[in-house]
Amino acid sequence: MATIRDVAKKANVSVATVSRVLNNKGYVSEEAQKNVMAAIESLSYTPNSVARTLYNKSSGMIGLVLPDITNPFFPELARAVEDVAHTYGYTVVLCNSDEEVAKEKKYFDALKQKYIDGIILTTSSLTSKDYDRLDLPMVALDRRIGDHIPTVVSENKQGACEATEHLLAKGCRYLAHLRGPEGVKTADERYKGFMEVVEQHGVEHVVLNAEFQIDKAEAVAQELFTTYSQVDGVFAGSDVTAAGVMKAAHTLNKRIPADIKLIGFDGIPLGKMLVPALSTVEQSIYKMGALSARLLIKQIEKQPMASMYYELPVKLIARETT
Amino acid sequence: MATIRDVAKKANVSVATVSRVLNNKGYVSEEAQKNVMAAIESLSYTPNSVARTLYNKSSGMIGLVLPDITNPFFPELARAVEDVAHTYGYTVVLCNSDEEVAKEKKYFDALKQKYIDGIILTTSSLTSKDYDRLDLPMVALDRRIGDHIPTVVSENKQGACEATEHLLAKGCRYLAHLRGPEGVKTADERYKGFMEVVEQHGVEHVVLNAEFQIDKAEAVAQELFTTYSQVDGVFAGSDVTAAGVMKAAHTLNKRIPADIKLIGFDGIPLGKMLVPALSTVEQSIYKMGALSARLLIKQIEKQPMASMYYELPVKLIARETT
DNA sequence: CTGAAAGCGCTTACAG
DNA sequence: CTGAAAGCGCTTACAG
């Protein structure tokens, strides 16, 4: 591959002026400019980005740290991040942390070493201080890490309220909520929304923990339907959880929506594929990812951010399970 | 961050000997070694990988180019690639090409610029020559690009034969195949397997193109069930296709498996979540990804490869739809 | 407007 | 066994 030296030689100028035209910085005579352009063209030269990175301490790469790309919530998020990054000329490094502290730290070290420009976090295994120590532009996506880190989440509580109201509107009188893991902010918010509505309406209810996992959800739902046979409406903490509920209902010969109404949360593609199609509270997953990427790039490029905290609206989608 | 200079100063040696202990290369006296180690420790020094990359022309990064991470076949593949890469100390750059020539080329330029060490391709928009010109270690995953590029695929034809035989064994007498896009090797192979079995058994059949897309599959299946009401067995070219078939059956009040038996292909998590659970031909997706990554790293590190072509076995999983 | 030089943080012949 | 020096391919003060 041609280097800046080759171009300089061919254009009969110094490497400094080649660099100047490359970066559009400093004075360059029209003639020099023309010669350099021609030389670049004829050598089909492209500047070596590693050399640039070494000097500038900026790599044009951003890290996307998530628990597991295999979880159906993340591919769309990753896609959005990558799309935005790509249009702004950034490259995305993918990191599956499995929420393990050691793995996350190892990734951070490696990324920092590579002069990564910033990181989007959908995990929060480490403490707020650990993240601060990184001293890197960051965005917290679907998580909250601290007030000083720009954050993008959905209106989880609001969505949970709407889902619960929806079940009541459909005539349910005994509600169950299969919540996500305690301590995970999104799960906690959804739980709060559910509780607020059932308490306000004084409706009977039961809450069980399904950890956002399908197998766990299926097992918990089996138990639920056996122990609380009066339950006629289920708010699942996620669409994957809801899929588990549907399997359990099927095994126990409970009909959805005839015997039990069911609504999920997330709006992942899965919901549409299920039969009957799953009612859900749809998050703007792509928008969340795209916004995070834009916020990160703004930080990197030292542009002002309008706000440090974005809560994106959710949308109730009534399909066939309610 | 501390540099090699700082370490050298602190250890009272030259940067050359620090580099020697860092790389475990060349002679270093025990004492020097000890001093350097201590200095590294006390400064918590880690070598700057960008500087290393610049000199070595090797970045420790590999590119994963796929059409769209949002397609449920790819997350597990990406996860496997990332896991293996990570254990060997490599970092993965994610690229969604949408099968667009221009995008793919742009990615390649950017990756090459960054001294990427190798690329795993699950796309094949460009010509074989374009790939050769890259002059980079490569592996073709779930695609075939050329004989000189190591390739990892599944036994697609064999799996299709088994799926078709399975439908026949379950008593089906009029089979339909909803195939994937023509020209895509995996889809073609599955089609061939289907045809081989139906012709051999002289069983009535019809083939329609569903492009591996759920909406398309649903529409095509609706048409299928209306036009060919005798069809009692469907081999869907992918699990996503099968999900579309299930939706169409539901709308038209065809019962699965009572009226129509259905089997998919891929073994993605979706299949287990459907009700009834989807019978399918399971590919070892994770293994394919892991093997590709290992093959790529072998090439990068100039180790011998046992073979240029790997066809991994598939497994028929009879669940509730047959 | 332009070039020589130093520097980004490493590695590796080359002498000694 | 060790260090001074050149070089990987850029960028940017600094003189002129």
Side-chain angles (χ1 to χ4, degrees), chain B residues 304-318:
Chain B
M305 272 182 297
S307 162
M308 289 292 280
Y309 185 73
Y310 291 84
E311 209 172 281
L312 298 194
V314 296
K315 191 172 151 202
L316 191 140
I317 309 220

Side-chain angles (χ1 to χ4, degrees), chain A residues 64-136:
Chain A
L64 174 60
V65 182
L66 37 76
D68 183 1
I69 187 73
T70 266
N71 174 326
F73 179 68
F74 292 114
E76 193 177 345
L77 220 50
R79 175 71 213 240
V81 168
E82 211 269 315
D83 282 353
V84 171
H86 189 240
T87 72
Y88 285 88
Y90 288 82
T91 297
V92 174
V93 172
L94 178 67
C95 308
N96 295 287
S97 78
D98 290 323
E99 310 265 17
E100 282 173 29
V101 176
K103 254 184 147 175
E104 210 170 307
K105 281 194 172 165
K106 205 176 143 201
Y107 275 120
F108 287 148
D109 285 346
L111 295 177
K112 189 102 202 218
Q113 225 74 230
K114 291 191 186 301
Y115 287 139
I116 200 104
D117 287 339
I119 296 183
I120 293 178
L121 287 164
T122 63
T123 53
S124 50
S125 326
L126 309 190
T127 67
S128 179
K129 267 195 190 148
D130 283 319
Y131 293 112
D132 293 346
R133 200 163 343 174
L134 270 178
D135 189 29
L136 229 46

Side-chain angles (χ1 to χ4, degrees), chain B residues 134-312:
Chain B
L134 270 178
D135 189 29
L136 229 47
M138 292 197 292
V139 170
L141 175 49
D142 194 43
R143 299 284 174 116
R144 282 214 222 172
I145 292 173
D147 292 340
H148 52 301
I149 298 180
T151 301
V152 176
V153 293
S154 279
E155 287 177 337
N156 286 296
K157 190 175 154 203
Q158 171 65 19
C161 290
E162 285 177 29
T164 313
E165 296 277 12
H166 178 65
L167 289 174
L168 294 178
K170 289 293 177 179
C172 300
R173 289 295 162 255
Y174 198 122
L175 298 188
H177 175 42
L178 266 57
R179 58 160 299 155
E182 284 186 50
V184 171
K185 197 84 184 170
T186 52
D188 291 344
E189 293 287 313
R190 291 172 200 175
Y191 166 71
K192 273 193 220 159
F194 174 80
M195 288 308 289
E196 193 172 297
V197 171
V198 290
E199 281 172 359
Q200 178 188 321
H201 289 267
V203 51
E204 292 198 89
H205 60 274
V206 49
V207 175
L208 297 171
N209 191 335
E211 301 287 346
F212 283 158
Q213 289 161 22
I214 185 163
D215 295 338
K216 179 86 181 176
E218 185 177 358
V220 168
Q222 291 234 22
E223 194 191 310
L224 172 77
F225 292 143
T226 320
T227 318
Y228 300 85
S229 57
Q230 326 91 300
V231 164
D232 57 1
V234 177
F235 168 39
S238 75
D239 288 348
V240 168
T241 306
V245 173
M246 286 175 75
K247 293 184 76 70
H250 184 243
T251 330
L252 296 176
N253 269 314
K254 296 259 187 185
R255 290 163 304 161
I256 294 179
D259 303 330
I260 290 167
K261 312 242 183 302
L262 172 66
I263 185 165
F265 204 111
D266 280 347
I268 59 177
L270 166 69
K272 266 184 287 193
M273 302 190 187
L274 295 172
V275 178
L278 180 66
S279 296
T280 192
V281 177
E282 184 183 66
Q283 303 191 61
S284 304
I285 303 182
Y286 191 92
K287 270 192 195 161
M288 290 170 72
L291 175 58
S292 309
R294 255 180 265 116
L295 286 177
L296 186 68
I297 292 172
K298 281 205 174 177
Q299 274 184 84
I300 294 170
E301 301 182 350
K302 316 252 184 224
Q303 285 164 31
M305 272 182 297
S307 162
M308 289 292 280
Y309 185 73
Y310 291 84
E311 209 172 281
L312 298 194

Side-chain angles (χ1 to χ4, degrees), chain A residues 142-144 156 181-190 192:
Chain A
D142 194 44
R143 300 283 174 117
R144 282 215 222 171
N156 286 296
E182 285 187 50
V184 171
K185 197 83 183 170
T186 52
D188 291 343
E189 293 286 315
R190 291 171 201 176
K192 274 193 218 159

